[in-house]
Amino acid sequence: MTLPLFLYGTLLDRRVLARQSGDPRLPWRARPASLEGHRRVVFRGTPYPTLRPMPGGTVAGLLVRPNAGAMRRLRAYEGACYRLHPFRVLTRHGPRRARAFVVPRHLAGRSPGDPGGLNRGRAPRYRVPDESRGRLECCSGCRRSRGCARTRSIPRP
């Protein structure tokens, strides 16, 4: 059996979760959970959240168990810059193992309101695909073969 998914950002909105997962019942099966020892920060250069370790910090969220189809859709929604990492979350029934989508630590801002000094007060920046290597470059510089949710293709002139 796969581990449940800990949600802490945009997918906390039930409408967004239902639409992006393709499962209208999934938001109603979500249960409250919290992650100790972390804080919610922004993904550098974007308005989107990620997690960063912080002693004494707590992140409130939801725990869901999406089916395989919903999980594929949620992976596509999060993009290649976000990766699934294992965590231990607290629920009303005690600690549970779970996974959450997070970006690599070097792409996470330092505090909840600090996007790491990148694009402060501006819209997320987008970069042209790096076609010479057959890979895409996302808005914050992480290189993935598929790009991330914030990568967009700019047409050639």
Side-chain angles (χ1 to χ4, degrees):
M1 183 181 265
T2 62
L3 293 175
L5 189 61
F6 177 70
L7 307 176
Y8 59 89
T10 57
L11 292 172
L12 290 176
D13 183 325
R14 291 182 188 273
R15 293 170 298 189
V16 173
L17 179 58
R19 183 175 56 249
Q20 297 302 330
S21 70
D23 182 354
R25 295 181 315 253
L26 185 60
W28 306 109
R29 294 192 310 258
R31 299 291 172 247
S34 62
L35 177 62
E36 302 287 325
H38 287 77
R39 65 180 167 181
R40 185 182 294 117
V41 297
V42 295
F43 174 5
R44 294 175 108 181
T46 76
Y48 302 104
T50 190
L51 298 173
R52 187 174 183 126
M54 182 187 92
T58 301
V59 177
L62 294 175
L63 207 55
V64 296
R65 201 176 284 277
N67 61 36
M71 192 64 189
R72 274 191 303 276
R73 289 182 59 137
L74 292 173
R75 279 181 187 265
Y77 170 72
E78 293 293 350
C81 287
Y82 280 88
R83 295 188 178 163
L84 282 171
H85 285 271
F87 292 100
R88 184 167 299 278
V89 298
L90 299 177
T91 68
R92 67 179 182 176
H93 299 292
R96 298 279 188 260
R97 290 177 35 203
R99 299 177 298 169
F101 287 105
V102 296
V103 298
R105 193 172 180 180
H106 70 279
L107 295 177
R110 289 182 180 19
S111 66
D114 175 26
L118 297 175
N119 299 323
R120 190 168 301 192
R122 292 181 287 186
R125 85 177 163 213
Y126 294 91
R127 293 189 181 166
V128 178
D130 183 358
E131 296 171 13
S132 63
R133 296 183 189 159
R135 295 157 59 115
L136 297 175
E137 190 169 344
C138 83
C139 56
S140 292
C142 71
R143 291 175 178 267
R144 302 289 180 259
S145 59
R146 294 185 329 247
C148 78
R150 287 113 187 120
T151 302
R152 69 179 172 130
S153 180
I154 299 174
R156 289 184 179 180

